Amino acid sequence: MKNIYKIIIALISILAVSCNADDVDNRPILESVSAPEMTLPVTGKTFVLTEENAEDEADLFKWNPAAYSHDVVVSYSLLMDVKDGDFANAQTLASTSDISQASISVKTLNQAAIELGAVPGTAKLFDVKVKCNVSGSTAMETEETITISITAYSGLVTYPFTDWYLVGDATVAGWDNNKGNQPLFRSGVNPKLYKYTGYFKAGYFKVISTLGKWAPMYGGAGGNLAYRATDADGDPASFNIPTAGYYTFAIDTQTLTYTLNPYDASAATVHATIGLIGSSRTGTEAGWNDDTDMVQSTFDPHIWTLTISLFDGKAKFRANNAWDVNWGGDKAFSGYPGNGTGGGDIPVAKSKYKVYFNDLDGSYLMIPNQQ
């Protein structure tokens, strides 16, 4: 009886495999019939963009949908490049699924133009086309592009803050005032408060606000800051680091005071990687799926930097591509939320940033409007 059951089961298995193989052999082949074609705006249209209208619609971009031999879900990407460009480094204006149009805001169109080399206030020609994709099929693109003229505005993010950088033989840059100088991290609550916790060599240092220039500058002694407004003013005393090691240096530019205290970093973890993650990386929630690795300082392994173009969205920092150790904040541009992990999501406005992060205390500084 058992042998009969085994024979029956074997026959059923053979039939199942045969049916599955037949299904694969008879599966219809998906073929592309026609590529999408841009219909609006018309080629030659001129856009003069203004910051006052940043949130308004610049135009509705439309195209004839792609056609395939079978009903499928088609993904579209609306792309823009410089006139006669090869679209290798094109800007994506919009992405849709089975929708053959996209409303493009003034801000989005302007930022794409700036990223592609537009000079604010000067008209520049750009080509626009649509690329479509279906899972399991070769991507198709519009056979012809439309050409539009864009006069962009600066698109700079409002950044009413002063940054202060370390300079001196106790710091990573030495006495060079424009050589990767480490900035202080600014409080997200009080823009007059700055702090930096990190490694110093034995020696001296001051702080400057404009890279490449020696004024404005702060020096000081005895807990009191001394300000040098111009090169014609006297040179203030340098801050002294008697022994190499980790210190916390904090200044208050309103009360003109400072503190400089040793910091115990002996138990601090040296992470293999720190990454920036969030919707600001891609402009969509998909940006939370992975991160962009930052560059670790060779002078101080707890300091990390990154230059990156970001979108409107949120961001955080995390260690080793995992969520068990992560840092955030609730203030744009800068903050030092304190020791430990977690925190809120940092709000980010679309721009190109120089990002600094300190894993000793979660301090971050994101300077926009980079070129």
Side-chain angles (χ1 to χ4, degrees):
M1 184 66 70
K2 290 183 178 178
N3 289 334
I4 293 175
Y5 285 141
K6 290 180 180 178
I7 293 171
I8 293 173
I9 292 172
L11 288 172
I12 293 173
S13 299
I14 292 171
L15 289 172
V17 172
S18 298
C19 290
N20 289 338
D22 289 342
D23 288 344
V24 172
D25 291 338
N26 296 326
R27 184 179 298 166
I29 298 174
L30 179 65
E31 296 180 346
S32 57
V33 176
S34 62
E37 291 296 331
M38 293 289 303
T39 59
L40 289 176
V42 296
T43 193
K45 184 164 184 178
T46 296
F47 295 87
V48 179
L49 308 179
T50 60
E51 191 165 7
E52 292 76 12
N53 299 322
E55 303 303 324
D56 295 345
E57 180 187 75
D59 210 335
L60 181 65
F61 286 68
K62 300 181 70 174
W63 55 91
N64 291 326
Y68 289 85
S69 55
H70 305 283
D71 290 336
V72 288
V73 176
V74 184
S75 298
Y76 296 99
S77 295
L78 182 64
L79 307 176
M80 187 172 88
D81 199 0
V82 295
K83 172 66 176 171
D84 297 325
D86 60 5
F87 283 83
N89 297 304
Q91 292 291 304
T92 301
L93 298 178
S95 297
T96 69
S97 179
D98 255 8
I99 298 176
S100 55
Q101 64 180 39
S103 175
I104 306 303
S105 70
V106 168
K107 183 177 182 179
T108 297
L109 193 61
N110 186 81
Q111 187 63 31
I114 292 294
E115 293 286 346
L116 292 170
V119 176
T122 302
K124 186 176 178 68
L125 296 178
F126 297 92
D127 288 337
V128 180
K129 69 177 181 179
V130 175
K131 182 177 180 179
C132 69
N133 182 271
V134 173
S135 178
S137 177
T138 304
M140 290 195 297
E141 301 178 3
T142 49
E143 295 179 1
E144 296 182 359
T145 63
I146 63 167
T147 300
I148 59 177
S149 173
I150 299 176
T151 301
Y153 57 88
S154 68
L156 298 179
V157 172
T158 302
Y159 187 72
F161 305 106
T162 300
D163 293 307
W164 292 96
Y165 298 85
L166 298 172
V167 64
D169 57 5
T171 73
V172 62
W175 284 109
D176 192 322
N177 64 5
N178 194 10
K179 188 183 178 182
N181 302 67
Q182 172 65 44
L184 304 182
F185 294 94
R186 186 181 59 255
S187 167
V189 178
N190 184 345
K192 301 294 184 181
L193 300 180
Y194 299 80
K195 183 183 73 168
Y196 173 69
T197 296
Y199 180 76
F200 290 84
K201 296 191 294 186
Y204 297 88
F205 71 95
K206 298 176 182 180
V207 292
I208 55 175
S209 66
T210 304
L211 293 176
K213 297 184 179 181
W214 292 108
M217 170 192 286
Y218 279 116
N224 297 311
L225 289 178
Y227 182 60
R228 184 191 193 201
T230 69
D231 290 335
D233 296 327
D235 199 14
S238 299
F239 306 106
N240 179 30
I241 300 293
T243 304
Y246 283 83
Y247 293 81
T248 295
F249 175 65
I251 65 174
D252 185 329
T253 60
Q254 183 171 13
T255 62
L256 296 180
T257 57
Y258 76 91
T259 57
L260 179 60
N261 298 309
Y263 178 88
D264 184 3
S266 60
T269 301
V270 176
H271 297 286
T273 63
I274 296 289
L276 179 72
I277 192 168
S279 59
S280 61
R281 290 174 52 256
T282 62
T284 70
E285 290 304 310
W288 291 104
N289 293 335
D290 57 16
D291 49 36
T292 301
D293 287 345
M294 304 185 74
V295 178
Q296 187 177 36
S297 169
T298 57
F299 183 80
D300 181 344
H302 300 289
I303 300 299
W304 305 77
T305 59
L306 177 67
T307 299
I308 185 173
S309 293
L310 297 174
F311 297 85
D312 292 338
K314 305 285 187 179
K316 298 186 84 161
F317 302 92
R318 68 175 184 172
N320 307 320
N321 302 302
W323 283 110
D324 54 332
V325 180
N326 68 88
W327 303 262
D330 58 0
K331 303 299 181 183
F333 306 121
S334 186
Y336 36 86
N339 295 313
T341 60
D345 298 336
I346 303 167
V348 177
K350 188 173 183 178
S351 184
K352 188 175 183 179
Y353 289 84
K354 179 73 172 184
V355 183
Y356 299 85
F357 178 71
N358 186 344
D359 68 46
L360 287 175
D361 60 6
S363 297
Y364 60 91
L365 176 64
M366 306 174 70
I367 304 175
N369 305 324
Q370 304 297 305
Q371 298 301 316

